[in-house]
Amino acid sequence: MPASVVPHERFEVSPLGPVVTREWAWGGADGSGIRVCVLDSGVDTSHPLVGGLEASMDVVTGDDGEAAVVPVEPGDEAGHGTACASVIRAIAPAASLTSVRVLSSGSHGTGAALLTGLRWAIDEGFDVINMSLSTTKPEFRDALRELSDAAYFRRCVIVASAHNMPVRSYPWPFASVISVASHDGPDPMAYYYNPSPPVEFYARGVRVRVAWTGGREMLTTGNSFATPHIAGICALILSKHRSLTPFQLKSVLYLTAENVAGSAATENGGARVD
Amino acid sequence: MLTDPPESTDITQRRLLQSIVEVARSVFGAAAASVFLVDRANGDLVFEAVAGEGENQLPGTRFPGGTGIAGWAVMGGQPLLVDDVAESPRFARAAAESTGYVPRSIMAAPLIADGECIGVLEVLDRDSRPRGDLGDMDSLGLLATEMATVLELLVRLRHDTGAARAVEVARFDLPLLQRVAERLPTASEQVGATVTKLLTMADELLAGGGA
């Protein structure tokens, strides 16, 4: 074995299976001990469907022109981040949520703020990062790819919304993130593996009841709302199997997907891994 | 006939936007379809074309960026659909005050040109024909992509035409005409008459399409 592939240090890896079922994957889990970061427009913590956060952060530009991530009073003028946070909370009620505001009014993911916020979230060691957004600006592609790879190797799972328009956008097509589009079923725990990437999974994304600004709720449809379903399910799985790598986590999602687990020759909807 | 190219592309843009919102309204059997463009100066969303409810009074109306469902489409850069918005009294009141119409559902897709979100295509209250929500969003996304692509072409055409006109103008010695205009009043009667005659001939030549 060449020296370059020998691990430099010992590390914990949760074993899979031997039969990976949905019960094995997240049965009884509530997201306890898992830290989820929502990169979005902010989160309104006063909404009953969301509740308290671990932290609310904003990306600001200092006097020196450098962007920095600083604590702010919780809030969300647009409501998009609040909607996403409410989905994660519904799936993984005990997971710790942190908001980083990278979208500001009138701007389409300014790119620079997105990079700064994502870099901060990876450095902070969040277990799961929800990105119900993408940037279409090609100048940010390479930096986003590097950050996505860095997150992958640091056991930080990025769950990103796929784009359903014929435009190039990032980071969802990168292999190191989990990309999510929508199915139109009503089950929040149902998801499907897509054997024709770059979209890897389909989760509930049609008529999803979400929190909105001013304590309101509404029914929304779009990949933005499918993504936090998978982020929440990742939090559940990680809370039960703490040392899964992103590679293993993706494998668990694959093995427990409706169209994979359902077709496997197991009694309780799972797939053997031995 | 000579036309003013920039004005011509403006008219083409307006007609294009109007025709696409009319197509969108027809395809979805919607109460209204509209297109907003982002004002680069302040991020406001400005109604540029409307078909159906509000088509007479809404064009030109603006909203702060990041607000409403159109704002979500700009911020997230992705299509989305919201149902039962009218159940929210605050939303209903705000919508009624600003547009005069309270929709039950709103579907919006961003217009992305050259990697920038330049606006939003929005459809209010689709009819109840049996179509999937996801299929509707895909269709709206395709229309938005088409619209953004044509807008991108128009902007390029305007830029190219403007540049071509600048080159065209530079071929002629306009300062010469300026000097003639300044000196003519002080010229002798005979010289003035000759110059005027020459200018008249030049004018007739140009008017005759001798370009």
Side-chain angles (χ1 to χ4, degrees):
Chain A
M1 179 185 287
S4 60
V5 299
V6 177
H8 296 293
E9 56 185 286
R10 290 182 58 81
F11 57 91
E12 295 297 319
V13 178
S14 297
L16 294 188
V19 178
V20 176
T21 63
R22 291 171 200 150
E23 176 59 31
W24 176 89
W26 68 71
D30 60 4
S32 299
I34 298 304
R35 299 170 68 226
V36 181
C37 185
V38 179
L39 292 185
D40 213 288
S41 58
V43 171
D44 178 0
T45 55
S46 67
H47 200 292
L49 293 182
V50 177
L53 301 183
E54 177 183 320
S56 288
M57 312 298 288
D58 196 2
V59 179
V60 298
T61 304
D63 294 338
D64 56 0
E66 293 291 314
V69 178
V70 299
V72 287
E73 285 297 311
D76 178 16
E77 284 184 20
H80 193 266
T82 304
C84 295
S86 70
V87 174
I88 298 170
R89 186 67 90 203
I91 301 274
S96 161
L97 290 180
T98 289
S99 159
V100 179
R101 192 161 75 106
V102 297
L103 298 177
S104 54
S105 60
S107 66
H108 168 211
T110 56
L114 183 61
L115 285 178
T116 303
L118 179 59
R119 188 175 293 114
W120 179 86
I122 296 167
D123 288 345
E124 287 292 309
F126 284 96
D127 301 295
V128 180
I129 298 175
N130 187 89
M131 295 179 69
S132 290
L133 52 88
S134 58
T135 179
T136 46
K137 294 172 184 164
E139 61 266 34
F140 296 110
R141 181 188 57 206
D142 290 346
L144 269 175
R145 195 199 304 275
E146 281 182 19
L147 282 175
S148 300
D149 284 347
Y152 183 86
F153 294 120
R154 292 178 67 168
R155 301 195 186 203
C156 173
V157 177
I158 296 174
V159 187
S161 289
H163 214 298
N164 51 359
M165 287 169 61
V167 296
R168 291 180 188 279
S169 66
Y170 317 98
W172 70 270
F174 300 155
S176 50
V177 309
I178 296 175
S179 56
V180 187
S182 306
H183 68 65
D184 58 5
D187 183 354
M189 298 302 288
Y191 52 91
Y192 299 83
Y193 171 69
N194 176 26
S196 303
V199 174
E200 288 183 305
F201 294 97
Y202 292 99
R204 184 188 182 199
V206 173
R207 298 179 67 82
V208 181
R209 184 162 287 281
V210 297
W212 197 19
T213 56
R216 291 168 286 172
E217 298 175 22
M218 63 179 178
L219 295 177
T220 53
T221 294
N223 295 349
S224 286
F225 315 105
T227 303
H229 281 91
I230 292 292
I233 290 166
C234 285
L236 292 183
I237 296 171
L238 288 173
S239 72
K240 201 170 167 187
H241 307 283
R242 193 66 190 85
S243 298
L244 290 179
T245 64
F247 171 80
Q248 289 179 305
L249 179 60
K250 238 187 221 194
S251 302
V252 171
L253 287 172
Y254 162 75
L255 292 168
T256 53
E258 296 281 328
N259 55 337
V260 176
S263 62
T266 57
E267 289 182 358
N268 52 356
R272 294 196 69 84
V273 294
D274 57 349
Chain B
M1 186 181 76
L2 293 175
T3 56
D4 181 344
E7 187 180 323
S8 159
T9 50
D10 276 349
I11 291 168
T12 307
Q13 176 171 314
R14 278 200 294 275
R15 283 167 53 191
L16 168 82
L17 295 179
Q18 191 62 37
S19 84
I20 290 188
V21 292
E22 280 165 12
V23 167
R25 187 186 178 214
S26 169
V27 165
F28 298 111
S34 48
V35 61
F36 303 83
L37 292 184
V38 177
D39 183 338
R40 288 187 177 213
N42 51 21
D44 280 359
L45 289 169
V46 185
F47 273 108
E48 293 292 332
V50 180
E53 292 286 345
E55 66 181 23
N56 293 324
Q57 71 272 25
L58 285 181
T61 309
R62 55 179 60 227
F63 295 92
T67 57
I69 305 309
W72 279 25
V74 175
M75 292 172 72
Q78 301 213 349
L80 63 116
L81 165 59
V82 175
D83 291 296
D84 74 2
V85 287
E87 286 180 16
S88 163
R90 188 170 138 193
F91 176 88
R93 191 172 63 248
E97 284 171 358
S98 56
T99 66
Y101 178 72
V102 182
R104 294 182 311 281
S105 79
I106 301 176
M107 183 165 64
L111 304 175
I112 298 169
D114 271 339
E116 288 282 341
C117 182
I118 59 169
V120 177
L121 178 58
E122 191 172 82
V123 169
L124 306 184
D125 287 340
R126 296 158 298 141
D127 66 15
S128 55
R129 275 177 285 177
R131 297 175 306 252
D133 289 342
L134 292 177
D136 275 1
M137 274 206 326
D138 283 348
S139 300
L140 187 73
L142 289 173
L143 267 178
T145 305
E146 177 190 346
M147 179 182 255
T149 305
V150 182
L151 284 173
E152 199 176 318
L153 279 175
L154 277 174
V155 168
R156 241 178 249 169
L157 174 67
R158 189 177 307 171
H159 178 264
D160 291 348
T161 314
R165 279 168 61 80
V167 170
E168 196 76 8
V169 167
R171 279 173 46 207
F172 302 107
D173 192 352
L174 292 180
L176 170 66
L177 282 176
Q178 184 68 32
R179 282 199 302 278
V180 171
E182 287 167 4
R183 290 175 179 171
L184 187 57
T186 59
S188 68
E189 189 177 334
Q190 188 181 2
V191 171
T194 305
V195 170
T196 302
K197 195 172 178 183
L198 284 171
L199 286 173
T200 305
M201 284 172 62
D203 186 42
E204 285 170 359
L205 195 60
L206 290 171

